[in-house]
Amino acid sequence: MSIYKKLLFETLFEESTDGLMILENGKCIECNQAILNTLGVKDKNLLYGLLPSNISPELQPDGQKSSLKEKKMMRFALIHGSHNFDWVYTGRNGEDVWVDVTMTPITMDQQDIVYVSCRDVSRRKKEEKKLLEEKEKLYRLAHNDALTGLPNRLFFIERLKQVTSMAKRHRRELAILFMDLDRFKEINDSLGHAAGDKVLCEIATRLPGVIRKEDTLVRLGGDEFVILMENLFDKTDAAILAKKILDVLNEPIYIDGHILYVSGSIGISLYPENNGSIDNLINCADTAMYKAKAKGRNNFQFHSNDLTEIANERVGLEEKLRQSLNNDEFLVYYQPQINSENGELTGMEAFVRWNHKNTKIISPSKFIAFAEETGFIVPLDQWVMKKAFTQMVQWYKMGYNPGILALNLSMKQLRREDFIFRLKSMLKETGCKPEWVSLEVTENQIMPNLEKVFDTLTQIREMGIKIAIDDFGIGCSTLSRLKDIPIDKLKIDQTFIKNLPHNKNDISIIKAAILLSKNLNIDIIAKGVETEEQKRFLTETGCMHMQGYIYAKPMMASKMEEMFKIKCHNTLDMEQ
Ligand code: C2E
Ligand code: MG
C-alpha cells in the first residue's frame, strides 16, 4: 500500500465522527478520538487492553450481563459476517452512554481482529425515554378518575379484555361486581355536589380495605363503581365480597358536620357463566344491579336467580357461624385415647360442636370445610384452643390426670404469621403447659405446605408441644419425606381400620405404618376403632394406642370426668 493510501486510511480512522475500535481477543488494541470523546476518556492508553464490558455497567438495559453479552455479540458477528446491536457504556460521570454498534470481524496479516464502529445515540434515547414518560403520564391521566384517583372506565375495559382472555386460556372464572349507590342524588341535591364528591372519595378509600389484593376497583363515573374479581375459587366468593362491600358502605360517613348513611345495590355477572362478549358481561352485571334496586336496594343479585339464592345461603351461614361464636353457641367435646394393653387413658382429642341457638348439636362435618374456605376456621380454632386449654388446667387442678390434649389444627391457622405468638399467649393466659398438648394437622394439608410451615412446626416442638399427622395413609405422601418432618406421632386413618382384620391391603398398610413409626422413633395411634376384633388385631400388631367408639364417643367435659375415675377395658355408653 502506498504511503499516501496508508495516510488516507489512518486519517479516515482518526477523523471519523463514529467511534471506532479494533479488538483483538476481545480487547481494545486501537481506537480513535471520537470514541474517546463519546466515553469521556482522555488518553487512548486508558482503553488499550480493556474489554468493552470493562467500561460498561454490569447489566445492559435488556437485563443481560455485559460480560456475557459481549461474547454473544462477538459470536454472532463471526457467524453472520457482521452484527448490529445497541450497547450501553459508562460515561465519565457514571452516566449511561447509549451507542449503536456494528461489529465486523476481519482478518489482517493472518490475524483475526474485530472492527467496531459505535454511533452515540444517547440524545435520541433520552428523547425517546422522555416521550415514553409523557405517554405514560397521559395514559394515567386518561385512565384514572380525577376525583378519586381510582382507575376509570377506559382502564376497566382494557383490563377486562386482558383478564377475560387470560381466564379463557387458563380456564379460570372471574366476576364483575357492579355497584351503584342508593339515592346518591339526594345527597347531591340536599348537601351540594362538594359533599357528594366527599362521599365518593370516602367510599373510594373504604373499598380497597375489603377487596383482595388481586381484585381491581374502578370508578365508572357518577356513583358507579366496579370490582373485577379474578381467579374465583367459588362463584359465591363474589357474594361474600358483595356482602362485605354492603357492610362497609353502611358504616356512617361524617361530612361537614353531617352524619350520612349510605347503601349500595350490587349486580354480579360471571365469566364464563354469562358468556359472550365483554359488552354482554357488563350488561349482565348492569341488569343484575337493577334487579338489586328493584328488590329494595342495599342488596346484591347475581344475573342468575339460582346463584343469588345459593350465595345468600352461604353468606347467611357465615353470618350465623360468626354470631354463634359471639353468643358462645359452640361446645368442645372430648374423646378419650386409650392404651389398649392396660386400659389406661393416655389423653383425649377435642372436637368442636355447634350448639345452634342452643337447640340442636351440629357436627363439624357440616361446617368445618366451609369454615376453612371462608377463613372462619381461624377464630373458631382459637376459641376451641382456649376452651380446651382452660379445661385441661381445671382438670389438673382438680387432681385428675387427663393425659395429653390433642387439638385439630387447620393449615390456615398454622400459616398465620402470628400463630406462635398467639399460641404462647394462649398458654400463658390459661396456664396450660405445652407438654400437655399435641397439635394434629392432616397429612393432606401438611404435605403440600411443608416448606412454608416447617419452621413453625419446629418452633412448636421446641416449645414442648407435640405434633401429630392426622388421617395418615390417605394422603399418598412420599414416605421418605416423613423422616425430614418435625413430628411426634402418626394417626392412622379410620379407612384402614374399618375392614380389619379381613382386608389384606389394609393389614399391609397398618403393618407398614407401625414399622415406619418404629424406625422413625415416633408414636402411632389408630382412630375409629369400633370392634373387639379391630382392637385385638391392632394390639397384637404393635399399635397399642387407640381411639374410637369401642371405648367412647366424643363427650362433654363433665362426662369425661367420669372416665378419669375408671379404667377403660369396656365399651362405655356415652352420649355423642
Ligand atoms: P378427625 O380429626 O379425623 O376426627 C375423627 C372424627 O371421627 C370425629 O368426627 C370423631 O367424632 C369421629 N370418630 C371417633 N371415633 C369414631 C369411631 O369409632 N367411628 C366413627 N365412625 N367415627 C369416629 P367429628 O367430631 O364429626 O369431626 C370431624 C372432623 O372435623 C375431624 O376429623 C376434624 O378434622 C374436624 N374437626 C373437629 N373439630 C375440629 C376443630 O375444633 N378444629 C378443626 N380445625 N377441625 C375440627
Ligand atoms: Mg383429628
Side-chain angles (χ1 to χ4, degrees):
M1 192 191 290
S2 70
I3 291 182
Y4 171 73
K5 262 194 180 171
K6 198 167 171 262
L7 201 66
L8 179 68
F9 285 125
E10 268 177 17
T11 314
L12 276 176
F13 183 83
E14 200 51 50
E15 299 294 317
S16 163
T17 50
D18 286 343
L20 300 175
M21 262 196 286
I22 307 290
L23 307 180
E24 191 181 71
N25 296 326
K27 290 178 183 162
C28 175
I29 54 165
E30 195 48 83
C31 63
N32 70 352
Q33 185 57 40
I35 191 104
L36 296 184
N37 297 344
T38 305
L39 299 177
V41 177
K42 282 200 182 110
D43 192 335
K44 287 183 181 180
N45 285 316
L46 295 172
L47 285 190
Y48 293 159
L50 293 183
L51 298 162
S53 59
N54 295 148
I55 43 172
S56 309
E58 195 189 344
L59 294 180
Q60 289 294 309
D62 58 7
Q64 298 193 60
K65 267 190 149 184
S66 295
S67 53
L68 296 180
K69 184 170 175 176
E70 74 186 348
K71 286 191 187 118
K72 209 157 112 189
M73 297 298 105
M74 213 94 78
R75 257 201 318 275
F76 253 75
L78 279 168
I79 295 167
H80 300 288
S82 104
H83 187 51
N84 179 256
F85 56 93
D86 275 351
W87 185 267
V88 168
Y89 284 112
T90 305
R92 192 187 357 209
N93 301 316
E95 77 282 12
D96 284 348
V97 178
W98 286 79
V99 286
D100 176 78
V101 182
T102 305
M103 266 185 173
T104 316
I106 43 179
T107 308
M108 219 173 75
D109 293 339
Q110 294 173 330
Q111 209 150 0
D112 292 331
I113 54 173
V114 177
Y115 172 75
V116 182
S117 121
C118 308
R119 179 159 299 171
D120 189 347
V121 288
S122 298
R123 227 171 78 193
R124 196 185 80 212
K125 289 283 178 187
K126 262 184 212 151
E127 278 164 8
E128 279 173 9
K129 195 170 160 218
K130 209 168 137 202
L131 220 66
L132 193 74
E133 279 168 3
E134 273 168 14
K135 239 170 119 178
E136 276 172 0
K137 198 169 141 201
L138 280 174
Y139 179 90
R140 267 200 309 278
L141 281 175
H143 289 73
N144 276 62
D145 164 42
L147 176 67
T148 60
L150 292 177
N152 63 13
R153 179 185 288 271
L154 212 60
F155 177 91
F156 170 60
I157 302 290
E158 277 180 22
R159 184 90 189 116
L160 192 56
K161 278 184 198 155
Q162 279 171 8
V163 296
T164 44
S165 78
M166 249 154 63
K168 191 173 181 181
R169 212 171 322 134
H170 300 293
R171 291 170 194 276
R172 291 192 187 134
E173 290 186 293
L174 56 95
I176 299 178
L177 282 73
F178 225 89
M179 197 263 293
D180 187 278
L181 296 181
D182 299 329
R183 301 200 176 88
F184 182 65
K185 193 172 169 299
E186 287 171 18
I187 296 178
N188 270 338
D189 290 349
S190 56
L191 299 175
H193 281 85
D197 283 355
K198 284 182 190 165
V199 169
L200 293 173
C201 289
E202 172 63 22
I203 288 165
T205 47
R206 281 184 189 182
L207 292 181
V210 292
I211 65 173
R212 304 169 311 172
K213 264 204 302 276
E214 61 268 38
D215 299 336
T216 312
L217 170 66
V218 169
R219 181 178 168 226
L220 280 195
D223 58 348
E224 285 180 343
F225 293 81
V226 175
I227 291 104
L228 187 57
M229 279 183 95
E230 295 174 49
N231 303 335
L232 281 195
F233 181 71
D234 185 288
K235 291 180 198 21
T236 49
D237 283 352
I240 291 173
L241 177 62
K243 180 72 180 66
K244 281 187 190 158
I245 292 174
L246 294 176
D247 287 348
V248 83
L249 286 182
N250 288 165
E251 283 164 27
I253 299 179
Y254 302 91
I255 279 167
D256 303 336
H258 300 278
I259 303 178
L260 303 178
Y261 292 92
V262 176
S263 66
S265 300
I266 300 176
I268 307 170
S269 70
L270 300 167
Y271 179 90
E273 204 106 329
N274 303 118
N275 206 350
S277 61
I278 284 182
D279 286 345
N280 202 29
L281 261 181
I282 297 175
N283 287 342
C284 284
D286 203 34
T287 319
M289 190 269 289
Y290 280 107
K291 221 162 38 171
K293 293 258 182 214
K295 293 226 174 204
R297 304 186 169 92
N298 196 26
N299 73 92
F300 66 84
Q301 294 292 319
F302 278 88
H303 187 248
S304 128
N305 291 340
D306 293 353
L307 262 179
T308 308
E309 224 165 89
I310 298 170
N312 270 323
E313 263 173 34
R314 251 177 76 106
V315 171
L317 177 60
E318 197 189 358
E319 231 166 48
K320 269 190 218 154
L321 284 169
R322 288 192 191 273
Q323 267 167 16
S324 294
L325 195 60
N326 288 339
N327 300 342
D328 230 14
E329 288 175 19
F330 284 93
L331 298 169
V332 180
Y333 274 28
Y334 301 88
Q335 186 179 33
Q337 296 177 334
I338 308 289
N339 179 340
S340 61
E341 276 191 319
N342 53 21
E344 270 170 18
L345 181 98
T346 56
M348 70 199 69
E349 180 170 2
F351 296 113
V352 70
R353 294 286 181 269
W354 185 8
N355 186 13
H356 188 37
K357 297 212 161 101
N358 297 318
T359 52
K360 177 165 80 168
I361 304 280
I362 302 173
S363 133
S365 55
K366 299 263 180 357
F367 59 88
I368 285 287
F370 177 77
E372 290 261 1
E373 252 176 57
T374 55
F376 176 69
I377 195 76
V378 175
L380 182 65
D381 272 357
Q382 298 268 343
W383 181 90
V384 173
M385 192 181 268
K386 187 166 179 183
K387 199 86 178 168
F389 280 5
T390 312
Q391 185 63 68
M392 285 296 277
V393 175
Q394 202 179 329
W395 279 333
Y396 274 105
K397 274 189 188 155
M398 287 163 83
Y400 295 127
N401 183 5
I404 301 225
L405 167 79
L407 279 177
N408 290 289
L409 197 66
S410 146
M411 187 48 62
K412 278 225 166 104
Q413 184 82 259
L414 202 58
R415 286 188 57 179
R416 281 176 71 98
E417 272 180 20
D418 60 352
F419 178 70
I420 296 288
F421 171 77
R422 278 171 179 269
L423 184 61
K424 283 185 179 163
S425 328
M426 196 79 88
L427 288 168
K428 201 167 161 201
E429 188 187 330
T430 57
C432 183
K433 295 204 173 129
E435 57 271 26
W436 297 343
V437 182
S438 157
L439 297 180
E440 293 189 356
V441 197
T442 65
E443 186 186 4
N444 270 336
Q445 290 204 359
I446 208 165
M447 287 312 187
N449 290 294
L450 194 57
E451 273 77 42
K452 291 172 201 125
V453 294
F454 191 91
D455 287 346
T456 314
L457 291 178
T458 312
Q459 283 182 60
I460 293 174
R461 286 182 87 220
E462 279 166 7
M463 285 166 66
I465 293 178
K466 300 210 165 20
I467 305 276
I469 294 211
D470 208 351
D471 299 349
F472 179 71
I474 55 173
C476 303
S477 51
T478 325
L479 293 183
S480 58
R481 282 185 82 190
L482 274 181
K483 69 176 182 348
D484 306 318
I485 313 176
I487 47 165
D488 306 275
K489 194 186 270 188
L490 295 180
K491 204 162 181 188
I492 309 176
D493 192 63
Q494 196 194 352
T495 10
F496 306 107
I497 312 291
K498 221 168 35 194
N499 300 317
L500 287 181
H502 310 294
N503 187 304
K504 281 190 184 142
N505 291 341
D506 290 346
I507 292 176
S508 310
I509 291 170
I510 302 277
K511 283 184 174 166
I514 293 173
L515 193 67
L516 188 73
S517 70
K518 282 201 175 119
N519 287 340
L520 296 176
N521 201 18
I522 55 180
D523 290 337
I524 189 157
I525 178 166
K527 69 176 187 184
V529 182
E530 292 181 347
T531 66
E532 273 301 330
E533 265 185 316
Q534 293 165 352
K535 177 180 148 188
R536 198 174 321 113
F537 173 85
L538 287 163
T539 313
E540 282 166 12
T541 321
C543 176
M544 267 71 79
H545 294 282
M546 49 192 85
Q547 170 183 351
Y549 293 171
I550 184 154
Y551 290 108
K553 288 184 173 178
M555 61 188 92
M556 292 199 309
S558 53
K559 287 278 175 188
M560 205 52 212
E561 285 162 21
E562 292 175 24
M563 294 274 317
F564 300 150
K565 298 170 192 159
I566 48 167
K567 286 207 167 191
C568 308
H569 287 296
N570 305 316
T571 308
L572 292 170
D573 186 20
M574 296 286 179
E575 69 190 271
Q576 188 167 19

